[in-house]
Amino acid sequence: MNRSHAPLFEALVQHYETEPVGFHVPGHGYGHIYEQEQNKAMNWLSGMMKLDVTELSSTDDLHHPEASIAEAQRLAAQCFGADETFFLVGGSTSGNLAMILGVCEPGDLMIVQRNVHKSVLNGLKLAGVRAVIVTPRMDEETGLPTTPSLESIEQALKLYPEAKAVMLTNPNYYGMTANLTSYAELIHGYNSMLLVDEAHGAHYGLHSSFPESAIQAGADAVVQSTHKTLSALTMGAMLHLKGDRIPRESIKEVLAAIQSSSPSFPIMASLDVARVMVDRYGAAWFEPGIASVQAFRSWIEQEEGALKVLPANQSSEAYDNLDPLRVVLWDRTGTVTGFELQKLLEEQGCWAEMADIKHVVLVWGCRTGDDTRLKLQAACKQIEHIIRNSSIKSVRVSTSSYPGIGFSTPQKPVEWSRKKREQLRLPLEESEGYEVAEMVVPYPPGIPILYPGEALTKEMIGYISTLAETGAKFQGAVDSRMQTIAVYSR
């Protein structure tokens, strides 16, 4: 099998080059519908549509692949070290849902870390699965939650040896990463499966400076957002399976149910091309990005100004490694919050991945070069000047203001029922002691800080208010400004 070519992408190009006359969906007809428009934006769209087709004899079928898609997925499995790989057109969200629904029957029990993406909670709810929630470790310097300790997972497995699987998120949004080999060995010793949401680690294991991937560590099923750190289009992701524990046919059935019956061929082709770049160039594909981010870290440290980054070679009791392509930046003087820092960067033309009360997260692409880095450094110089001469009155949030995790370990399994309970909406400041009836999800990163059923404490109310006041965006809650909140009636 030739690993240096992209079979699906090439099949789409070859099909287009035959100048096909299409009597099929989609209705834009290979983009020809917009070719006569004078609007430049329409011309851009027309170009994007040239490879946007449907299931034809020349293009294959995602839900029953026999030709180019089948070959592309086999090549991806070889590249990333899996036994079998599936292309996802619904992002890692669809992969998380498929892992949970494919592994568990209604009433089964899973062990899940507390700080998971909202898609995991939705998967548990859809599957009717009981979940044992395990508290993560907290990094002392940043106050950020990471993965649970191995001891916490072992304690949960001892209490609930019937657990069908353990689901972990690794790395977290800030690039903090745990070595998962010992987790896989422990979990397999209890005849359970390790499922990993590795959305932010699609590049892991592909260069000596990157942490080991979850598949390399022995996980049974791993979802990666190929679009986040490799070169696929947005929503392009992959689900990797390895070993005999994972029920592959069940996973396939679920994927056919939850993914569109009209999947995007451009997204799938971009997954194929993202893989071929790794196979073609190997570790060298990542060298420009690695060199650029290292130079930026060194520059920040040499400047010794207000801006600080989390050192790439640093570890703590809460994590083993940091993603070299992810920079956590903040103002050590506390003059500006993370949200304010993000806005200042945007005013200088630099757009960050996300911000929280204290930090900004910057993600380097594998080919991000020095020209881009120098623009960021110029922006940081301007921000340093602003901070030195600032009259900004920030909220000045310390890491200790984060109220912690609602559930403790060990605890009873949680089951999110779809049955309706009577609710009311209260002003946030009047909700103390009530059980929250909606997920409260700052986005990004999409990690709920409150699950339905958790009691609202004074500390959590204060934390939510501070997030809202300093510019956080919320999903899940109806009132995105978080002035009110849905609670269950007493």
Side-chain angles (χ1 to χ4, degrees):
M1 189 178 294
N2 183 1
R3 295 176 63 175
S4 66
H5 83 118
L8 175 56
F9 174 69
E10 292 165 11
L12 296 179
V13 172
Q14 290 168 8
H15 177 78
Y16 181 78
E17 289 179 341
T18 65
E19 299 182 359
V21 179
F23 296 92
H24 55 74
V25 299
H28 57 69
Y30 301 92
H32 296 314
I33 194 171
Y34 295 125
E35 286 181 349
Q36 303 305 315
E37 293 294 321
Q38 300 302 311
N39 187 308
K40 289 184 179 180
M42 295 295 186
N43 291 333
W44 274 99
L45 189 58
S46 175
M48 294 165 57
M49 290 174 167
K50 295 184 186 301
L51 303 185
D52 185 31
V53 294
T54 189
E55 292 84 357
L56 305 171
S57 60
S58 60
T59 62
D60 210 359
D61 182 348
L62 177 64
H63 298 298
H64 188 70
E66 296 178 308
S68 59
I69 294 177
E71 184 181 1
Q73 291 185 150
R74 285 194 297 269
L75 287 166
Q78 291 179 20
C79 178
F80 294 98
D83 292 338
E84 193 166 10
T85 291
F86 300 97
F87 285 178
L88 306 175
V89 294
S92 283
T93 290
S94 58
N96 285 336
L97 295 177
M99 286 192 292
I100 296 169
L101 291 165
V103 164
C104 294
E105 300 287 339
D108 281 346
L109 185 140
M110 278 185 64
I111 296 170
V112 180
Q113 73 181 70
R114 172 60 175 78
N115 52 324
V116 292
H117 190 265
K118 62 178 183 175
S119 60
V120 174
L121 304 181
N122 289 331
L124 296 171
K125 185 175 181 179
L126 289 171
V129 171
R130 296 175 299 135
V132 171
I133 308 297
V134 182
T135 303
R137 294 170 290 180
M138 303 291 289
D139 177 53
E140 185 175 346
E141 179 174 6
T142 61
L144 297 170
T146 63
T147 51
S149 67
L150 187 67
E151 292 74 20
S152 294
I153 296 297
E154 184 171 20
Q155 183 183 23
L157 286 165
K158 285 180 178 177
L159 288 168
Y160 300 98
E162 72 274 25
K164 203 75 170 287
V166 176
M167 188 157 191
L168 300 177
T169 300
N170 192 61
N172 68 5
Y173 217 114
Y174 300 83
M176 297 168 175
T177 307
N179 296 333
L180 295 181
T181 301
S182 56
Y183 288 81
E185 292 172 352
L186 170 70
I187 292 162
H188 292 159
Y190 280 83
N191 198 31
S192 187
M193 286 174 274
L194 173 57
L195 316 178
V196 180
D197 178 355
E198 197 175 43
H200 296 277
H203 58 298
Y204 276 22
L206 300 177
H207 188 281
S208 60
S209 67
F210 297 158
E212 183 180 52
S213 73
I215 281 290
Q216 290 170 337
D220 301 282
V222 179
V223 64
Q224 295 177 336
S225 287
T226 318
H227 69 94
K228 292 188 189 299
T229 56
L230 297 180
S231 57
L233 291 173
T234 297
M235 294 179 69
M238 296 187 191
L239 175 58
H240 305 298
L241 308 182
K242 192 172 182 66
D244 298 328
R245 297 177 184 85
I246 198 77
R248 297 190 194 179
E249 291 305 314
S250 178
I251 296 285
K252 291 178 184 178
E253 290 176 8
V254 171
L255 284 172
I258 66 174
Q259 293 216 97
S260 172
S261 58
S262 301
S264 166
F265 274 84
I267 291 176
M268 290 189 288
S270 75
L271 289 169
D272 194 19
V273 173
R275 186 275 314 161
V276 82
M277 293 297 101
V278 174
D279 269 338
R280 185 173 293 170
Y281 298 105
W285 182 244
F286 303 94
E287 293 293 346
I290 293 170
S292 174
V293 72
Q294 287 175 343
F296 177 74
R297 291 180 186 277
S298 297
W299 178 80
I300 285 285
E301 292 170 1
Q302 291 167 4
E303 288 290 297
E304 297 183 343
L307 297 180
K308 180 180 179 181
V309 297
L310 204 58
N313 58 357
Q314 179 169 307
S315 62
S316 79
E317 293 184 358
Y319 61 89
D320 299 308
N321 307 101
L322 280 172
D323 179 0
L325 295 182
R326 199 164 287 245
V327 170
V328 180
L329 180 73
W330 70 92
D331 171 18
R332 75 174 88 204
T333 70
T335 303
V336 296
T337 66
F339 298 116
E340 290 165 340
L341 178 55
Q342 181 183 36
K343 185 176 180 181
L344 289 170
L345 285 167
E346 290 174 359
E347 290 173 357
Q348 300 296 321
C350 295
W351 297 80
E353 171 66 16
M354 66 155 286
D356 62 23
I357 290 179
K358 180 179 178 181
H359 312 94
V360 166
V361 176
L362 304 164
V363 179
W364 256 250
C366 51
R367 307 294 291 177
T368 300
D370 284 338
D371 288 347
T372 302
R373 170 182 62 85
L374 291 173
K375 290 178 182 178
L376 176 61
Q377 289 179 192
C380 288
K381 283 184 177 180
Q382 284 293 108
I383 293 169
E384 289 279 2
H385 177 75
I386 292 169
I387 290 173
R388 284 195 303 270
N389 299 280
S390 180
S391 60
I392 296 174
K393 302 297 183 182
S394 292
V395 178
R396 290 183 178 270
V397 179
S398 68
T399 56
S400 62
S401 65
Y402 180 70
I405 303 300
F407 292 115
S408 61
T409 304
Q411 43 89 37
K412 294 179 181 178
V414 177
E415 185 169 2
W416 286 277
S417 172
R418 281 176 282 178
K419 293 181 179 179
K420 300 296 183 182
R421 290 173 59 186
E422 186 177 349
Q423 301 179 14
L424 65 154
R425 181 162 291 278
L426 295 177
L428 181 63
E429 65 269 18
E430 298 177 13
S431 63
E432 183 179 353
Y434 283 87
E435 291 183 4
V436 67
E438 57 188 355
M439 276 198 291
V440 180
V441 189
Y443 196 91
I447 307 297
I449 57 174
L450 276 177
Y451 295 170
E454 288 189 279
L456 281 152
T457 63
K458 181 180 179 180
E459 293 76 17
M460 180 57 79
I461 291 169
Y463 183 66
I464 294 171
S465 297
T466 300
L467 282 172
E469 290 169 5
T470 52
K473 307 298 182 183
F474 290 87
Q475 293 184 347
V478 171
D479 182 358
S480 61
R481 298 177 300 165
M482 294 311 300
Q483 295 179 352
T484 64
I485 194 165
V487 298
Y488 290 120
S489 300
R490 287 173 171 169

